[in-house]
Amino acid sequence: MSPEDIVYLLLLIAAIPYGHLVKSSGSPARKQFLALIAGLIMIVSTAGFGGIPHSFCTILGTFLILKTVGPKYGPWSAFLYVFGYLFFFRTCHWYGLPKPPAYSNAVQLLVTLRMCTIAFEGFQLNCHNRPATLEEVTATSTLQVSLYDTFSYGYCYCGLMTGPYYRFTTYIDMLHQKKQIPSFNVALQRVKYVPFLAAAYIPLNMYFPVNHLTSSEYINHAWGSIYRIAYLAPLFSWFRWRFYIGWLLAESSCISLALGAYPEECKSRPGQGPTVELSEEQAKMENQKYDFETIRNIKIWETEFAPTLHKTTKTWNMTVQWWLAQYFYRKFPFKQLRMWATFLFSAFWHGVRPGYYLTFMSVPLVIVAQSLMKKLIQPSEEWETVYDWINWLILHRCFEYLSVAFILLDIEAIIKTWSHMYFYNHIMTIFFIILPLILTQNMPVEYAGKAKSENGKKQS
C-alpha cells in the first residue's frame, strides 16, 4: 500500500466516529459546514491542493449553468457540461496542463454524479428544501439551491472518494433530521467483515502483485497458460476485496452520520431512497425502526455467489447502478441498445484508457451468452442448483480474465497478456452465443415451441 492509501484508509476509519459528532452537533447549518470541511480535508490529505481545482470548476460551472439556463434546458445542459468536463479532466495533460493527482480522479467521479443529480433535483426543491409540485417547478425559472448548498453537497465527505452515491434530497434530509436516530452501533456492525477481508487482502496483495502480469517470469513460466490463468484467481480476489473494504468503511461513515436513514416502512432502495411516502401519522410515530438501505453499496455474499453476471451487477456498486439506470439507461432513446450504451457510458465514466472499454464492452457479451444458454438448456428444478454452480465457476474465470484489462489499462499490455492465454474467455463467450443460436434453428418445430412455452412459464 502506498502512503496515500494508508492516509485514506485512516481517514475512512476516522470518518466513522466523526460522523457521530457531526450528527450530534445540532443545527443543519453546523452539520453542513462540518461535512464540507471534512470533505476538503480528505481531498487535501490524499491528493494535495491539486486535487481541488477540477472538482471546483465542475461544481461552480454546474451552478452557473443552472442559474442562467433555467429548468427547461438547465438539467441536460449541466449533464453535458459535467461529463464534458470529466473528459477534459482525463485528457488535460494532452494539452500541456499538469496531470491531476491520482486520488483526485476518485473525487471527480463522485462529484460528477452529484452535480448531475443536483441539476435534475435542484429545481424541484422549494424554500423549505422539500420536493415542489410540478406546477411550482414549471412556474419558476430560478434555481432553488444556493451556491453554498451546491458546494457543500459536492464536497460532503461521506462517499466522496469511494461512494456510496446518494441523491441531493437524501443529503438535505440528513441535514434537517429532527430525531436523534441511533446509528453508531449500526455503523460498527456494518464493518464487521472488514478485519477478515483486510487479513486476506494484505498477504494476497503482497504475494500476487499486479506488476507480475507484465513480467517475463509470468509470460515464460514453465507451467504456461495454466499458471497464467491460475494466477488471476488470487489477484482478482484481493482486487475486489479492496473495493469491499473501502465501500464498507464508507457506508459505515454514512450510517454514523445518519445519512440515508429512513423508517423501514419507506422501503428504501440503494441510491434511490424511500419508495413509499409515509402518512403524517406514520411520520410522527415514536420508536420507529430505521434502515440504511439508501446508502448500501455492496452485498458481499450475493456478489460473491451470484450465478449470473446480470445478478452480480445488481449487488455491486449498487448506488451507482441506480444512478446509471435512472439518469442514463431509462432515458436512452433506443431500447434495444440500452444495455450496450449503458456499459459504454460506464466505461467513459471510469476513464479514457482502453482497458475500461475492453472490460465493459465485453460484459454484455457474457450476459447475452448466459441468457441464451439458460434458454437452451432450461435446467429442471432438480438440476438448477448444479447448473447455477457450474455457471458460477465459469463466471468467476470470466471476471478474472476481464480484470486484466481493468487493472492494466494499457492496450499493448492487455493484448499481450490475453494472447498468452489464447483469448480463451472471448472465444468461449462467443462459442456460447453461437451454439444456442445454431441449435435453436436446427430444433424440430414441436420441440422449439415447447421449449419457448416452458421458458415463458418459468419467467412468469
Side-chain angles (χ1 to χ4, degrees):
M1 295 178 68
S2 67
E4 292 82 5
D5 289 339
I6 295 174
V7 169
Y8 182 56
L9 178 62
L10 294 175
L11 287 171
L12 281 177
I13 295 172
I16 300 172
Y18 182 77
H20 184 70
L21 294 175
V22 175
K23 184 188 72 172
S24 306
S25 64
S27 69
R30 196 173 292 117
K31 288 183 186 178
Q32 192 172 21
F33 176 76
L34 292 174
L36 169 62
I37 291 300
L40 294 174
I41 291 173
M42 186 173 286
I43 296 172
V44 173
S45 299
T46 53
F49 287 99
I52 292 179
H54 287 287
S55 55
F56 179 89
C57 290
T58 301
I59 297 171
L60 179 61
T62 301
F63 177 80
L64 292 176
I65 289 172
L66 299 178
K67 199 69 175 177
T68 55
V69 176
K72 187 173 183 180
Y73 300 107
W76 284 108
S77 298
F79 182 97
L80 294 174
Y81 169 74
V82 296
F83 282 99
Y85 195 95
L86 182 63
F87 178 77
F88 170 74
F89 167 81
R90 298 278 177 49
T91 60
C92 63
H93 58 283
W94 296 358
Y95 314 109
L97 296 175
K99 191 171 184 178
Y103 265 93
S104 65
N105 179 64
V107 176
Q108 197 69 25
L109 285 176
L110 272 301
V111 166
T112 296
L113 298 188
R114 292 184 186 184
M115 289 304 100
C116 180
T117 301
I118 207 170
F120 284 92
E121 294 185 354
F123 289 103
Q124 299 176 8
L125 297 177
N126 58 29
C127 59
H128 301 293
N129 288 322
R130 300 304 306 151
T133 64
L134 181 61
E135 290 76 14
E136 290 172 322
V137 174
T138 306
T140 183
S141 61
T142 58
L143 184 67
Q144 301 296 326
V145 179
S146 70
L147 180 62
Y148 179 64
D149 290 335
T150 308
F151 272 100
S152 60
Y153 170 58
Y155 283 133
C156 178
Y157 73 97
C158 283
L160 182 58
M161 301 176 77
T162 56
Y165 153 84
Y166 43 87
R167 300 169 60 195
F168 182 62
T169 49
T170 302
Y171 169 76
I172 291 296
D173 287 341
M174 177 274 294
L175 295 180
H176 293 270
Q177 281 170 353
K178 294 180 180 179
K179 297 181 179 179
Q180 280 295 318
I181 300 171
S183 60
F184 192 67
N185 289 335
V186 183
L188 294 180
Q189 182 72 11
R190 185 60 62 92
V191 296
K192 62 183 178 181
Y193 294 119
V194 169
F196 302 100
L197 289 168
Y201 165 80
I202 293 172
L204 285 176
N205 177 256
M206 184 182 303
Y207 291 107
F208 298 92
V210 170
N211 57 16
H212 184 61
L213 290 177
T214 55
S215 68
S216 58
E217 181 185 354
Y218 176 79
I219 299 298
N220 301 316
H221 197 276
W223 288 9
S225 294
I226 295 176
Y227 171 82
R228 289 189 284 270
I229 294 172
Y231 184 86
L232 299 181
L235 173 65
F236 180 65
S237 294
W238 72 253
F239 180 72
R240 69 180 183 275
W241 294 345
R242 176 188 174 97
F243 284 98
Y244 294 167
I245 293 169
W247 283 336
L248 290 175
L249 289 172
E251 284 182 35
S252 184
S253 69
C254 292
I255 292 171
S256 67
L257 182 60
L259 176 66
Y262 293 101
E264 291 181 349
E265 292 79 4
C266 290
K267 300 186 183 301
S268 298
R269 294 176 182 171
Q272 179 178 354
T275 60
V276 175
E277 187 175 350
L278 299 183
S279 64
E280 291 186 10
E281 293 182 359
Q282 289 176 311
K284 293 178 181 179
M285 287 177 57
E286 298 294 333
N287 301 320
Q288 285 179 323
K289 291 185 178 180
Y290 288 80
D291 65 39
F292 296 87
E293 290 302 304
T294 300
I295 52 83
R296 183 181 291 278
N297 213 34
I298 183 69
K299 292 183 177 179
I300 293 179
W301 296 111
E302 287 86 342
T303 301
E304 287 290 309
F305 295 104
T308 66
L309 202 154
H310 180 71
K311 289 184 178 179
T312 302
T313 58
K314 293 182 178 298
T315 58
W316 169 276
N317 207 1
M318 298 167 72
T319 57
V320 173
Q321 297 292 348
W322 179 84
W323 188 98
L324 285 168
Q326 177 70 16
Y327 291 103
F328 189 85
Y329 181 85
R330 296 190 184 106
K331 298 180 186 299
F332 193 76
F334 307 106
K335 291 185 178 181
Q336 292 183 339
L337 299 176
R338 279 179 175 174
M339 180 176 68
W340 296 87
T342 302
F343 278 106
L344 179 61
F345 184 77
S346 184
F348 172 76
W349 178 66
H350 280 83
V352 296
R353 302 289 296 278
Y356 295 122
Y357 297 87
L358 288 172
T359 300
F360 283 97
M361 297 315 293
S362 297
V363 170
L365 291 173
V366 178
I367 293 176
V368 170
Q370 288 190 314
S371 177
L372 290 174
M373 288 299 296
K374 183 72 177 284
K375 289 179 181 178
L376 175 67
I377 297 174
Q378 297 182 37
S380 62
E381 292 183 4
E382 294 82 4
W383 287 95
E384 191 159 12
T385 301
V386 175
Y387 179 84
D388 284 344
W389 276 110
I390 294 173
N391 238 357
W392 174 84
L393 186 66
I394 296 173
L395 180 61
H396 271 256
R397 305 295 78 76
C398 173
F399 283 147
E400 292 157 8
Y401 175 89
L402 294 180
S403 71
V404 170
F406 196 91
I407 293 171
L408 294 181
L409 298 178
D410 179 70
I411 186 70
E412 292 184 7
I414 296 166
I415 298 301
K416 184 179 180 180
T417 304
W418 276 350
S419 66
H420 285 88
M421 302 175 193
Y422 304 103
F423 298 97
Y424 80 93
N425 189 266
H426 279 105
I427 294 173
M428 182 175 64
T429 302
I430 294 171
F431 173 77
F432 285 135
I433 291 174
I434 295 175
L435 180 65
L437 296 177
I438 294 175
L439 293 181
T440 303
Q441 286 181 350
N442 294 332
M443 239 182 230
V445 176
E446 297 82 2
Y447 182 81
K450 182 180 178 182
K452 289 180 181 179
S453 175
E454 290 179 357
N455 186 57
K457 288 180 182 179
K458 283 187 179 182
Q459 289 179 344
S460 64

